[in-house]
């Protein structure tokens, strides 16, 4: 029966690869760097620009659930987020503890496998069936793939600056409460795409939402996973709320995201998760 199951899985995978959503991106990357004639700008081009052109699995289009615009640069929300990441996310922050630093590094890995570990915490429960798990993991996979498209669409729509850019130009935002620090560096490497919203937080939101739906009315197992960015370390959580909170906080501690971006990313992920569960997850009786 194991050989038959493998053959069935291969047949299903073959059919999935024929779907439009599985097609490779064909659009040429045409990002135009902003500059003035004769003036130097960094020459490393950003990533994910063509992702929104793909056909989503669950969403009707990449911008279907686009988050609201980030706070204005004159707002209290901007000042609070700016100051928070400037202090906690700096490369040589005096505030960040060793555990904080470990959390930031743990979640710096960009591979999706670290989120599947959290899903497997549910899938490994002894009472679950292979069919239940296949459906659960497949829905989560499609939802997370859709979130990459949705996040990329929003990132390039708003084109919001990363902390390293904002903090080194704190005197250019028109807000006297955002003091410039010319040599500021983030704790982890800044990804090569715009800041808003947070992609990691969107994935966490999807995982949390689908687990909440799947485990509705049942005792939640210990959620745990590992990360290639911090080998030999396993992190765990008792609730999906604490899991999302850690991912959100990690991106601030790493110096690559503002708090409002992490919250917007999580909510985008939860919204995609709600839509996925409504469309594909069976109603529990």
């Amino acid at each position: 029966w194991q050989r038959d199951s493998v053959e069935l899985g291969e047949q299903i995978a073959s059919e999935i690869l024929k779907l439009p959503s599985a097609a490779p991106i064909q659009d040429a990357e045409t990002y135009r760097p902003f500059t003035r004639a004769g003036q130097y700008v960094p020459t490393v081009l950003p990533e994910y620009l063509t992702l929104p052109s793909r056909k989503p699995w669950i969403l009707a289009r990449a911008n279907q659930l686009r988050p609201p615009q980030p706070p204005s640069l004159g707002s209290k929300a901007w000042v609070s987020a700016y100051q928070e990441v400037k202090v906690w996310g700096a490369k040589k922050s005096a505030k960040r503890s060793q555990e904080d630093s470990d959390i930031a590094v743990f979640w710096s890995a960009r591979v999706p496998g670290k989120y599947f570990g959290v899903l497997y915490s549910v899938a490994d429960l002894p009472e679950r069936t292979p069919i239940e798990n296949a459906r659960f993991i497949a829905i989560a996979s499609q939802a997370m793939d859709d979130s990459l498209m949705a996040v990329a669409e929003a990132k390039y729509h708003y084109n919001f600056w990363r902390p390293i850019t904002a903090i080194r130009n704190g005197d250019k935002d028109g807000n006297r409460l955002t003091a410039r620090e010319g040599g500021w560096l983030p704790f982890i490497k800044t990804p090569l795409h715009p800041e808003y919203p947070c992609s990691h937080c969107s994935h966490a939101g999807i995982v949390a939402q689908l687990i909440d739906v799947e485990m509705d009315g049942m005792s939640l197992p210990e959620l745990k996973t590992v990360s290639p960015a911090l080998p030999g370390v396993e992190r765990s959580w008792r609730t999906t709320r604490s899991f999302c909170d850690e991912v959100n906080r990690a991106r601030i501690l790493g110096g690559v995201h503002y708090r409002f971006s992490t919250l917007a990313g999580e909510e985008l992920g939860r919204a995609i998760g709600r839509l996925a569960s409504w469309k594909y997850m069976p109603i529990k009786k």
Side-chain angles (χ1 to χ4, degrees):
W1 66 268
Q2 288 180 325
R3 184 174 65 243
D4 291 343
S5 297
V6 171
E7 290 177 353
L8 176 60
E10 291 174 344
Q11 291 172 11
I12 293 172
S14 178
E15 293 301 313
I16 289 175
L17 290 173
K18 297 176 184 178
L19 297 174
S21 299
I25 299 173
Q26 302 293 335
D27 293 355
E29 186 276 300
T30 58
Y31 182 80
R32 183 173 182 172
F34 176 78
T35 187
R36 294 194 301 270
Q39 185 174 21
Y40 170 80
V41 295
T43 53
V44 178
L45 293 175
E47 302 172 323
Y48 300 159
L49 189 70
T50 58
L51 266 181
S53 66
R54 287 182 51 212
K55 179 177 175 56
W57 303 91
I58 296 163
L59 298 174
R61 58 191 185 281
N63 67 352
Q64 180 180 345
L65 298 173
R66 181 193 292 163
Q69 66 182 19
S72 70
L73 300 183
S75 67
K76 291 181 179 179
W78 166 243
V79 173
S80 175
Y82 178 100
Q83 293 175 343
E84 181 181 36
V85 71
K86 181 181 179 182
V87 171
W88 289 91
K91 188 176 184 67
K92 296 182 179 180
S93 172
K95 289 278 190 179
R96 195 179 52 246
S97 67
Q98 183 58 54
E99 183 181 7
D100 290 336
S101 296
D102 288 346
I103 289 172
V105 172
F106 186 93
W107 290 106
S108 67
R110 299 173 64 187
V111 295
K114 59 187 182 296
Y115 296 101
F116 282 99
V118 183
L119 295 167
Y120 295 155
S121 301
V122 172
D124 285 341
L125 290 172
E127 65 271 20
R128 291 184 61 84
T129 68
I131 296 297
E132 287 177 324
N133 285 338
R135 176 186 287 272
F136 180 52
I137 299 300
I139 293 170
S141 300
Q142 291 183 346
M144 285 193 284
D145 194 34
D146 272 17
S147 89
L148 287 175
M149 303 177 218
V151 166
E153 190 283 329
K155 282 180 178 292
Y156 285 100
H157 175 78
Y158 292 117
N159 205 38
F160 201 70
W161 55 0
R162 289 279 184 173
I164 188 172
T165 309
I167 294 170
R168 288 182 173 226
N169 290 279
D171 57 341
K172 300 291 187 181
D173 65 1
N175 195 318
R176 62 181 179 82
L177 298 178
T178 54
R180 175 179 184 262
E181 186 176 330
W184 190 90
L185 288 170
F187 178 55
I188 66 173
K189 184 178 179 180
T190 298
L192 291 173
H193 42 75
E195 191 274 338
Y196 181 85
C198 168
S199 180
H200 281 64
C201 310
S202 177
H203 277 87
I206 286 171
V207 170
Q209 185 65 33
L210 292 180
I211 288 176
D212 287 345
V213 172
E214 188 76 359
M215 297 298 294
D216 183 34
M218 295 182 283
S219 178
L220 193 69
E222 181 181 36
L223 305 175
K224 54 189 177 181
T225 193
V226 295
S227 168
L230 205 62
V233 174
E234 180 182 79
R235 295 200 61 82
S236 61
W237 310 269
R238 295 304 310 178
T239 66
T240 54
R241 179 68 266 156
S242 59
F243 160 63
C244 282
D245 285 345
E246 178 170 305
V247 177
N248 293 350
R249 186 163 171 263
R251 305 309 280 165
I252 299 168
L253 293 170
V256 296
H257 276 298
Y258 311 104
R259 181 168 297 276
F260 57 77
S261 186
T262 69
L263 298 178
E266 180 190 338
E267 179 48 39
L268 173 60
R270 286 186 177 274
I272 295 173
R274 287 191 291 269
L275 182 60
S277 61
W278 175 76
K279 292 180 75 171
Y280 297 122
M281 295 177 81
I283 298 174
K284 297 197 180 288
K285 298 180 180 179

